[in-house]
Amino acid sequence: MDPSGLDRLDQRIAGCRACPRLVEWREEVARTKRAAFADWTYWGRPVPGFGPPDARLLIIGLAPAAHGGNRTGRMFTGDRSGDVLYRALYDVGLASQPTSVHAGDGLELYGVRVTSPVHCAPPANRPTPEERDACRPWLVRELNLLRPTVRAAFVLGAFGWQAALPAFAEAGWTVPRPRPAFAHGAHVTLDAPDGPGLHLFGCFHVSQRNTFTGRLTPEMLREVLRTAAGAAGLPPPK
C-alpha cells in the first residue's frame, strides 16, 4: 500500500491533457453548464479514482458523466448512475451514506475504491478506442499501487470489462485466452505469478438505460456486490 503514490497519481491524472477531443468537450461543458447547475464551478478536468489506498475491492466504471463527475470532481458523484451505485454500496455496508452529492459531502467507502478506464467525460458517453488506450496507463499504474491489498474487481458494463482486461494483464495478472466474455454475474479468477490472484466480476452498468428499464435492478446489483465483497475478503456485507 502506497497512499502517497496514489495521491501523486490522482494529481497527475487531474492534470492530463493527452486527448484533444476530450479536453475540448470537458472544458466546454464546464463553461456552458447545465441550467440546473448554473451556480456551480465545474471541475472540468480528468476525474481521479476515489476510495482508500488499501482497498480490497476495486469498482471500475466507464468514464465520468459530463454533469456528474465532470462537475463534482469525484467518480459517480452528482448523477443518477452514482445515485444507484452508492445506494447499493450503502445497503450492503460498504459506504457511509446512501447519497453522493459533492466531493465534500462526507462520503466514505469501506475497503472499496472506484475508478474508470477513461478519466475524462466523453461526448455522448462514448470514448474512442484511441482515447481508451491513451488512458490505460493511468489504470495500470493504479492497479500496480493497489496490488498489495486488492483481491477483487467489480466491472460495470462491457466497455469497462474490455478496457480493463489489458490493464490487468499489464499490471501482472494472467488474463485467460481467449479473453473471458462480459456478462452480468460473470466471475473469473485472474492468477498472478508473483502474488495473490484477482477475482473479476461483471455487472450490468448502472446507467439510466439499464436501471429505468429494469435490466439492472437494485437487488441484482446488491447480489453481485455482496459476492464480490466476500471474494475480496471484506467483512460480511449486509
Side-chain angles (χ1 to χ4, degrees), residues 33-49:
K33 307 182 183 181
R34 179 175 283 171
F37 306 121
D39 59 343
W40 274 77
T41 299
Y42 275 52
W43 174 256
R45 289 182 277 164
V47 182

Side-chain angles (χ1 to χ4, degrees), residues 157-229:
F159 180 96
W161 182 273
Q162 293 161 3
L165 288 175
F168 291 134
E170 288 186 41
W173 285 282
T174 301
V175 176
R177 293 285 187 176
R179 287 180 179 175
F182 171 79
H184 180 79
H187 177 203
V188 180
T189 300
L190 307 182
D191 295 325
D194 59 348
L198 184 77
H199 293 277
L200 177 62
F201 294 87
C203 179
F204 290 143
H205 197 279
V206 288
S207 66
Q208 292 184 53
R209 177 184 298 178
N210 287 340
T211 57
F212 284 7
T213 61
R215 187 177 191 227
L216 178 66
T217 65
E219 182 49 41
M220 289 169 64
L221 177 58
R222 289 193 296 265
E223 181 179 2
V224 184
L225 271 175
R226 290 189 189 103
T227 304

Side-chain angles (χ1 to χ4, degrees), residues 5 15 51 54 67 96 149 187 193 201 234:
D54 59 350
H67 300 281
S96 63
T149 60
H187 177 203
F201 294 87
L234 290 170

Side-chain angles (χ1 to χ4, degrees), residues 42-98:
Y42 275 52
W43 174 256
R45 289 182 277 164
V47 182
F50 167 61
D54 59 350
R56 298 187 66 88
L57 174 62
L58 182 65
I59 297 177
I60 301 175
L62 190 163
H67 300 281
N70 189 58
R71 171 173 59 90
T72 65
R74 191 169 71 189
M75 285 286 176
F76 280 106
T77 295
D79 61 52
R80 292 189 176 181
S81 294
D83 292 344
V84 173
L85 176 62
Y86 287 121
R87 175 79 230 191
L89 286 167
Y90 175 79
D91 287 345
V92 301
L94 298 175
S96 63
Q97 59 193 48

Side-chain angles (χ1 to χ4, degrees), residues 91-112:
D91 287 345
V92 301
L94 298 175
S96 63
Q97 59 193 48
T99 58
S100 180
V101 181
H102 58 83
D105 61 11
L107 174 66
E108 293 183 58
L109 301 183
Y110 304 137
V112 178

